[in-house]
């Protein structure tokens, strides 16, 4: 029998892979063990057009499905290549984005409430709120608020110990948004 793996080169997991696994483990533990959240979506993509990586995991509280939280990690070709090729001076990392989606009825009231909750839990972070709805002249469509927190710097394995706290804050934000936007 021919050993097709003989002589194959094994690469160490990338920063992206290690952070992805850590995030996934935290959120799946909150789903399977603690039953605090329910994982509702997961994307693990290699974008071949630009050779980048993207991981996205979505969750909702087990007792409320109106608000969806989402954590996203992204790594560009440059980040991945500099790490795999061990380029001197390179500091590979990932872009971290957290999103919250929820229906709202009064943007003038709800958007400041959302901003207040998020700024309290995630101070000094840049956030963007977007409101969307489906246009239909025959009926009023519900509005959807998407709030995005984009972290100003890349994260890497030095922040690995922060992953449990990050996941906890992400879930806490959904709980507080639910309590605030009733």
């Amino acid at each position: 029998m021919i050993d097709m793996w003989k002589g194959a080169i094994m690469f160490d997991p990338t920063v992206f892979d290690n952070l992805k696994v850590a995030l996934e483990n935290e959120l799946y533990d909150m789903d399977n063990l603690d039953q605090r959240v329910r994982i509702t979506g997961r994307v693990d993509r290699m974008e071949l057009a630009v050779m980048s990586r993207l991981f996205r995991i979505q969750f909702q509280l087990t007792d409320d499905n109106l608000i969806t939280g989402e954590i996203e990690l992204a790594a560009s070709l440059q980040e991945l290549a500099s790490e795999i090729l061990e380029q001197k001076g390179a500091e590979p990392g990932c872009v971290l984005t957290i999103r919250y989606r929820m229906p709202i009825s009064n943007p003038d009231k709800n958007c400041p409430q959302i901003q207040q909750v998020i700024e309290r839990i995630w101070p000094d972070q840049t956030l963007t709120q977007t409101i969307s709805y489906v246009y239909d002249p025959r009926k009023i469509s519900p509005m959807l608020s998407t709030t995005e927190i984009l972290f100003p710097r890349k994260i890497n394995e030095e922040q690995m110990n922060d992953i449990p706290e990050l996941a906890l804050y992400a879930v806490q934000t959904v709980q507080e948004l639910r309590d605030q936007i009733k």
Side-chain angles (χ1 to χ4, degrees), residues 22-117:
L23 267 171
E24 217 170 11
N25 287 342
E26 285 300 320
L27 286 166
Y28 274 109
D29 282 353
M30 287 185 195
D31 181 332
N32 296 320
L33 301 178
D34 303 337
Q35 298 182 349
R36 292 180 65 182
V37 300
R38 191 174 59 258
I39 302 299
T40 58
R42 184 178 171 279
V43 172
D44 189 353
R45 177 180 301 146
M46 174 176 261
E47 187 60 53
L48 295 176
V50 293
M51 298 302 290
S52 64
R53 294 283 311 269
L54 177 94
F55 173 72
R56 185 180 299 143
I57 189 162
Q58 296 175 335
F59 60 92
Q60 296 174 335
L61 299 177
T62 53
D63 61 350
D64 187 353
N65 64 357
L66 286 179
I67 301 173
T68 298
E70 177 179 282
I71 301 176
E72 178 181 289
L73 281 177
S76 68
L77 170 63
Q78 182 177 353
E79 297 295 330
L80 296 167
S82 68
E83 180 178 6
I84 292 169
L85 298 174
E86 298 178 5
Q87 293 176 340
K88 289 191 188 250
E91 295 183 25
C94 299
V95 174
L96 174 68
T97 305
I98 299 178
R99 286 182 199 87
Y100 298 98
R101 291 184 182 89
M102 68 200 83
I104 60 171
S105 56
N106 182 345
D108 291 331
K109 177 183 174 194
N110 300 140
C111 288
Q113 292 171 322
I114 292 166
Q115 184 167 346
Q116 180 183 20
V117 167

